[in-house]
Amino acid sequence: MFARSLRIAVAMGVTLLLASCSVLFGRSIDRPLVYYVRNVTVMADARIPLELIENVDRRVSAAIATTRAPQGAERVVLLVKIDRLGFGEGARRRLAQADFTVTAVSVETGEPVAKGSFRVNGPTDDPRWARQALAEEVAARIRFAFSLTTPRVRKTLPPRTISTRLASEPPPVIVPNVRAAPPRAALVAPQAAPQKPAAPTTQNKVAPPPPREMAAPPVAEVQPPRPAAPAQPARRAADIGKGTPVEQGAVGTIRLRPDCDPAVTADCSASP
């Protein structure tokens, strides 16, 4: 009877101890919680690779950015601490394994409102993708625990090209890019054995071509000048009488014919 009462008392003490821990550190994460998660911080000691820490932080931050804020939910920030990084047991001895703790801290009060410890195993043992796959497993567990949205993978579409070619036209000919051949090293020609100097031979000198005669420039036909009409002597002032149209003291001539003047030239007839 006493032993049974002692067992009951020990069980109640353990229950009260767990309840006190739950009140002190916040409720444990045993099902998806709904909080307005604002940010995340991933921590670890020097034994954890920095690549794993950065990949977990990047994935959880992307999930927080794509999650719609629930109305009336408490605002919290997440503190993720990677405690251990190793390998599994049994059939998982070649797969990476990580133990980490997630604590949700209230933005208003700064007190922890939820806390949980998790263990995940990597899905592959390929050293090229082991850390990436393990980081995705850690981020997926955090997304599930705090009801975060899984971000979509962005697909890169090829750029659109606008073509004015008609459908009836033949397709354009595409010439592949041919890389230029690398310059080859110059081959060293083998040195020939020295030969005896040959007797000098006279070279036939080619006579220069005879100079060509230049054609004479064309000569324009020159017409002989026409004889000019003899100049008519001027009349003296004493010969000019009164009543003539020539004023006193002026010299002038009046010609009745274009070639000579009968008043001046004796042999010039009056009739043309």
Side-chain angles (χ1 to χ4, degrees):
M1 185 67 180
F2 177 76
R4 184 178 181 182
S5 301
L6 183 60
R7 286 197 299 268
I8 294 174
V10 172
M12 293 179 63
V14 173
T15 303
L16 293 175
L17 180 61
L18 293 177
S20 63
C21 293
S22 174
V23 174
L24 181 61
F25 297 105
R27 54 177 176 169
S28 60
I29 305 175
D30 51 0
R31 58 185 178 84
L33 306 178
V34 179
Y35 287 105
Y36 182 16
V37 182
R38 302 299 304 274
N39 204 346
V40 63
T41 301
V42 183
M43 301 175 295
D45 55 16
R47 297 173 298 176
I48 306 302
L50 182 60
E51 181 184 1
L52 178 62
I53 299 175
E54 292 177 348
N55 290 332
V56 173
D57 185 274
R58 178 170 53 86
R59 284 171 167 81
V60 178
S61 298
I64 294 173
T66 57
T67 302
R68 182 178 299 179
Q71 297 181 358
E74 186 177 2
R75 298 187 302 169
V76 299
V77 293
L78 301 182
L79 301 178
V80 181
K81 185 177 183 303
I82 302 177
D83 301 318
R84 188 188 68 88
L85 180 63
F87 293 91
E89 298 178 356
R92 298 178 179 176
R93 64 182 179 273
R94 300 182 58 183
L95 301 179
Q97 188 180 79
D99 296 340
F100 62 97
T101 304
V102 183
T103 305
V105 180
S106 175
V107 175
E108 285 78 9
T109 62
E111 298 292 335
V113 295
K115 185 176 182 180
S117 297
F118 307 95
R119 172 177 292 178
V120 294
N121 296 280
T124 179
D125 58 348
D126 191 343
R128 297 175 299 174
W129 315 106
R131 291 182 181 176
Q132 296 285 344
L134 185 62
E136 177 59 29
E137 292 296 326
V138 174
R141 190 66 183 88
I142 297 174
R143 290 196 300 260
F144 174 78
F146 290 91
S147 303
L148 300 178
T149 304
T150 303
R152 295 182 179 179
V153 179
R154 180 179 298 179
K155 296 182 179 180
T156 304
L157 300 178
R160 289 187 174 184
T161 56
I162 301 176
S163 176
T164 57
R165 186 174 60 87
L166 300 177
S168 58
E169 296 181 2
V173 179
I174 300 175
V175 179
N177 296 330
V178 180
R179 294 185 177 181
R184 297 183 178 179
L187 299 177
V188 179
Q191 297 182 357
Q195 298 179 0
K196 295 182 179 180
T201 58
T202 58
Q203 297 181 358
N204 297 328
K205 295 183 179 180
V206 180
R212 297 181 180 179
E213 296 182 357
M214 298 179 62
V219 179
E221 183 179 358
V222 180
Q223 297 181 359
R226 299 177 61 181
Q232 299 295 331
R235 298 179 62 180
R236 297 178 300 172
D239 299 336
I240 300 174
K242 295 183 179 179
T244 61
V246 181
E247 296 182 359
Q248 186 69 25
V251 178
T253 59
I254 299 175
R255 292 184 178 183
L256 300 179
R257 294 179 59 181
D259 52 351
C260 63
D261 187 0
V264 178
T265 307
D267 58 350
C268 182
S269 61
S271 60

